[in-house]
Amino acid sequence: MPAFTFTTRLAASAAAAAVAVLGLTTTAASASSAEPVTQACTAANSDTTVSEVSRPLNHLLLTVTNTGDTPCNAYYAPALRFDDAQAATPVLESSQPQAVVTLNPGESGYAGIRTSLPSGEGTNGHTATTLEVHFKDRADEDTNDWAALDLPGDGVYLDSTAAVTWWQYDLDDALSY
């Protein structure tokens, strides 16, 4: 009889442990199965800045910081409009990251802006003083909510070789193109 009692107690303990583990597993699964983030980062839920960088030459760094209470996605590449340009700045498609850049509250994402090639091979050079940063939604459409920024100093020289990267998690990645 003592062996039976020991076996029964062991089985009961194992069952209780299994229930406890299943309870923890269920809780963890519920926490990780939250709805996916689909809200786009926009001027309404983010702060956007543009700054000069010392390296690489002829580049600017665009930073978007989530100022909202929930995560947002920095989809695709920002659509840039310098001064009163009629077309958006071309996107460096080779900069596409492996995943959408999701920013939790307080986190930042980055895009690099090449203003011209150091070789000087671009055309239509001019100095721009303002920049509109248009955000994209999940369907790659303009969110119709943009940031209007003044460019550093007395403006920035641009030519036909200007381009922008996709949004990146790391500023070094954004400036590597």
Side-chain angles (χ1 to χ4, degrees):
M1 197 74 134
F4 177 73
T5 305
F6 176 75
T7 305
T8 305
R9 286 185 184 163
L10 186 60
S13 294
V19 168
V21 168
L22 286 175
L24 290 175
T25 303
T26 303
T27 303
S30 298
S32 66
S33 65
E35 291 295 315
V37 175
T38 57
Q39 177 179 335
C41 297
T42 66
N45 62 13
S46 303
D47 181 42
T48 308
T49 60
V50 62
S51 55
E52 291 182 306
V53 293
S54 59
R55 295 266 185 236
L57 294 176
N58 305 336
H59 276 70
L60 297 171
L61 179 65
L62 194 59
T63 304
V64 61
T65 303
N66 181 349
T67 57
D69 296 331
T70 59
C72 66
N73 287 330
Y75 289 111
Y76 303 96
L80 303 183
R81 181 177 182 214
F82 288 95
D83 288 341
D84 58 354
Q86 293 183 6
T89 303
V91 175
L92 293 165
E93 293 300 333
S94 61
S95 68
Q96 180 178 350
Q98 292 185 358
V100 172
V101 174
T102 301
L103 303 176
N104 288 315
E107 291 182 336
S108 297
Y110 308 93
I113 304 170
R114 181 181 69 208
T115 58
S116 62
L117 290 174
S119 61
E121 62 193 71
T123 59
N124 301 321
H126 65 283
T127 299
T129 58
T130 62
L131 172 64
E132 285 181 3
V133 179
H134 292 253
F135 297 90
K136 302 288 188 88
D137 64 15
R138 189 174 182 183
D140 197 15
E141 299 291 329
D142 192 325
T143 63
N144 294 317
D145 187 16
W146 62 88
L149 307 173
D150 289 325
L151 291 170
D154 293 328
V156 174
Y157 177 81
L158 301 168
D159 67 21
S160 62
T161 62
V164 63
T165 67
W166 282 55
W167 289 111
Q168 308 289 326
Y169 281 110
D170 185 80
L171 69 94
D172 290 331
D173 289 341
L175 294 174
S176 66
Y177 293 91

